[in-house]
Amino acid sequence: CKRIDKVIVLCPGDWVDYTKNIFEGTDITVISGGSTRNETLMKAISHIEKTDGLSDDTYLVTHDAVRPFVTEKIICDNIDAMLEFGATGTVIPAVDTIFESEKGTVIDSIPDRNKLYQAQTPQCFGALKLRELYNSLSDEEKDVLTDGCKIYLLKGYPVHLVEGHVSNIKITYPHDLIVAEAILQT
């Protein structure tokens, strides 16, 4: 995507050398991530601040390496929406009925599927705003974070939904590799 100025891959410290070898000969920077997703985002912001400086025009397009089929359109749609609204999260509508269970043994509620979305990446944020909001969180709030969008929500800021695609799969289980191979064949 031509709208991306710099690609930084953050990975566990033990994997930095291996990952650098993969990207040898490219402009991709590889650095050690944090112990959580959001600590990793903060490390990315610190790296950018040290190497390029931060301004109100510094934006993060965060993406999971386990989602190799993101499209340029999804990336650009996120950037456009972030520039207009301030923060974005990629989603697809939930197609399955979702059960909510407090104890994991009985159904407590069934939320309205028409209001539910499955999160994907990328997510986009202004780097300075993301860091400011993250640093204002209590330890208890940090403990419940699952992604960057939740930082904004905890502090009362909206996150704009951007339409993803079902092919933007997350490779988590061995079965997902079979699906990924099938996508590559098409």
Side-chain angles (χ1 to χ4, degrees), residues 130-155:
L130 181 64
R131 182 171 68 182
E132 170 195 330
L133 294 177
Y134 181 78
N135 288 338
S136 73
L137 294 174
S138 68
D139 289 340
E140 293 78 23
E141 289 172 319
K142 288 178 182 176
D143 286 343
V144 299
L145 293 177
T146 55
D147 65 12
C149 293
K150 186 125 184 183
I151 296 169
Y152 274 70
L153 295 179
L154 286 172
K155 291 301 176 181

Side-chain angles (χ1 to χ4, degrees), residues 12-81:
D14 293 346
W15 287 84
V16 169
D17 291 337
Y18 175 82
T19 307
K20 281 182 179 180
N21 287 336
I22 292 172
F23 294 113
E24 189 174 340
T26 71
D27 291 334
I28 295 172
T29 301
V30 178
I31 62 173
S32 178
S35 61
T36 66
R37 173 189 300 265
N38 290 297
E39 286 178 12
T40 298
L41 291 177
M42 294 308 113
K43 282 192 159 201
I45 291 170
S46 292
H47 175 80
I48 295 166
E49 184 171 39
K50 289 175 190 165
T51 59
D52 300 303
L54 291 175
S55 74
D56 289 334
D57 294 329
T58 305
Y59 305 108
L60 295 181
V61 179
T62 68
H63 188 66
D64 299 321
V66 293
R67 290 190 185 273
F69 300 111
V70 66
T71 64
E72 184 175 9
K73 179 184 181 334
I74 292 172
I75 294 169
C76 289
D77 287 352
N78 268 272
I79 293 169
D80 291 339

